[in-house]
Amino acid sequence: MKINSALKQYLTEMTLKSCIRWPSQKKLSPQLLRFSLEQMAKVFPVAEHIEIRQLKIANVHVEEIRPQARSTQLIFHIHGGAFFLGSTNTHRAFMSQIAVRTQMQVLHLDYPLAPEHPHPVALESIYSVYCQLLEQGIQAKDIIVSGDSCGANLALALALKLKQINPKNLPSGLMLLSPLLDLSLTSESLRYNQQHDALLSLQALETGISYYVPQNADPAAPEYSPLYADDFTGLPPVLVQVGSKEILLDDAQRFRDKARSAGVEVDFKLYTGMWHNFQMFSTWFEEARIALSDLAYFAHQLDQD
């Protein structure tokens, strides 16, 4: 029986709210939430006709997904999960869909999570992996750095770190999906979309930030909230994707405005009626499939430049 699309979306949102958002509002241990999330992620189908390889780069577990023997670009993805959740297991199906859509190699990382590893451990580990790829002969112009949710925070932080140390090592582009960029939680959408976002809760963000940001540190400092970095000038082209129901909607919009003011090329995409990380649901929803098509188009444009 074919389910009406509106009914399918309603049922999906209700399921997400009860199985993910509601538990994230409770004081459950990170270990329990991680296990639960990995079990729920098994409902997402991994794309066919791909090769998956487990690697270790700079002492970080990395998963490589190849849709073909050779590709001209590498997508370097940093998963989300409010800094204390998520893994290659939770994002494998999503990354496989991106690999198939773009026909590009995807590397996604099991970086160290908080609270066991507060800032700056995750960023330093990600930076080390990136630098080792360069040392292995991969050119920066052939890398696209991508991240979803807090992974987008780390992706932007990585780009800003590279810009400061050696701008020649900047990737060809950034893809920020449902980005969490302001850890001081001042975005208005945190309030007006609180009941609409099916996946992400304010409580989960507060928990993750308390784990990630060192005690007595200011979460609005640029090292934690890259939205407040002094200078975006010189960043490569950026794709920003966000759903209209997301509590992080304003993070994305504020970054767009600030980056464009600094002369950065920003391709901003807003998807009506979509919740946080809706792109992971591309096998079920047309809007998510459109988002992956937009992502592939952006990546291919970088490949041509």
Side-chain angles (χ1 to χ4, degrees):
M1 181 179 70
K2 194 170 183 179
I3 302 177
N4 174 276
S5 59
L7 176 59
K8 180 169 68 171
Q9 179 163 339
Y10 172 78
L11 293 174
T12 301
E13 290 190 27
M14 290 303 102
T15 301
L16 291 173
K17 286 179 179 179
S18 61
C19 295
I20 296 181
R21 196 180 76 174
W22 183 81
S24 75
Q25 295 173 301
K26 308 302 175 184
K27 294 188 179 299
L28 303 176
S29 71
Q31 293 75 19
L32 178 58
L33 288 172
R34 289 169 191 165
F35 175 79
S36 300
L37 196 60
E38 291 205 356
Q39 298 311 302
M40 285 183 277
K42 292 178 180 178
V43 304
F44 296 113
V46 175
E48 298 178 345
H49 311 300
I50 57 169
E51 177 187 340
I52 300 178
R53 226 173 26 132
Q54 308 299 323
L55 306 172
K56 202 158 194 179
I57 303 175
N59 292 318
V60 176
H61 171 232
V62 175
E63 194 163 82
E64 175 192 67
I65 300 178
R66 286 184 178 269
Q68 55 182 343
R70 289 187 176 184
S71 58
T72 56
Q73 291 275 307
L74 181 153
I75 296 175
F76 181 96
H77 188 82
I78 306 166
H79 71 75
F83 300 106
F84 73 105
L85 302 172
S87 67
T88 52
N89 292 332
T90 60
H91 282 61
R92 181 173 298 115
F94 181 32
M95 293 300 102
S96 73
Q97 299 295 336
I98 288 180
V100 168
R101 287 298 185 105
T102 61
Q103 287 298 295
M104 294 176 180
Q105 176 187 0
V106 174
L107 286 181
H108 62 129
L109 288 62
D110 259 336
Y111 59 86
L113 299 177
E116 298 90 339
H117 305 283
H119 180 86
V121 179
L123 180 58
E124 289 179 346
S125 297
I126 292 164
Y127 176 73
S128 296
V129 174
Y130 187 92
C131 289
Q132 188 158 325
L133 292 177
L134 298 180
E135 290 170 8
Q136 291 173 356
I138 297 174
Q139 297 185 63
K141 70 178 183 64
D142 294 329
I143 301 176
I144 302 169
V145 172
S146 172
D148 64 277
S149 192
C150 75
N153 177 303
L154 292 164
L156 180 56
L158 172 64
L160 291 168
K161 185 179 178 75
L162 291 167
K163 185 170 85 79
Q164 181 182 24
I165 296 172
N166 186 353
K168 291 181 179 179
N169 289 335
L170 279 167
S172 64
L174 295 173
M175 300 193 297
L176 309 181
L177 316 179
S178 301
L180 167 61
L181 303 176
D182 177 10
L183 301 196
S184 65
L185 301 178
T186 60
S187 288
E188 283 300 312
S189 56
L190 288 164
R191 281 80 196 171
Y192 66 70
N193 269 344
Q194 192 168 0
Q195 299 305 314
H196 303 300
D197 195 324
L199 192 71
L200 186 60
S201 69
L202 178 60
Q203 291 85 351
L205 289 178
E206 290 171 339
T207 297
I209 291 166
S210 72
Y211 290 157
Y212 179 70
V213 177
Q215 193 173 12
N216 299 322
D218 180 6
E223 56 263 41
Y224 316 118
S225 297
L227 178 65
Y228 298 122
D230 292 334
D231 185 15
F232 288 159
T233 305
L235 286 178
V238 185
L239 171 68
V240 179
Q241 292 186 342
V242 67
S244 66
K245 289 184 174 180
E246 293 203 42
I247 61 176
L248 297 179
L249 173 59
D250 283 354
D251 279 35
Q253 293 175 326
R254 291 157 67 200
F255 169 78
R256 172 201 62 196
D257 296 342
K258 185 173 179 180
R260 284 179 176 171
S261 295
V264 180
E265 181 184 331
V266 180
D267 187 357
F268 181 85
K269 300 288 187 182
L270 176 66
Y271 301 87
T272 303
M274 291 292 101
W275 55 87
H276 186 67
N277 268 29
F278 69 95
Q279 300 93 334
M280 298 181 78
F281 297 79
S282 63
T283 54
W284 300 332
F285 292 99
E286 180 64 21
E287 293 83 353
R289 288 191 287 274
I290 292 170
L292 289 194
S293 294
D294 291 339
L295 183 152
Y297 179 80
F298 176 82
H300 292 154
Q301 289 298 111
L302 295 175
D303 195 17
Q304 292 173 12
D305 292 342

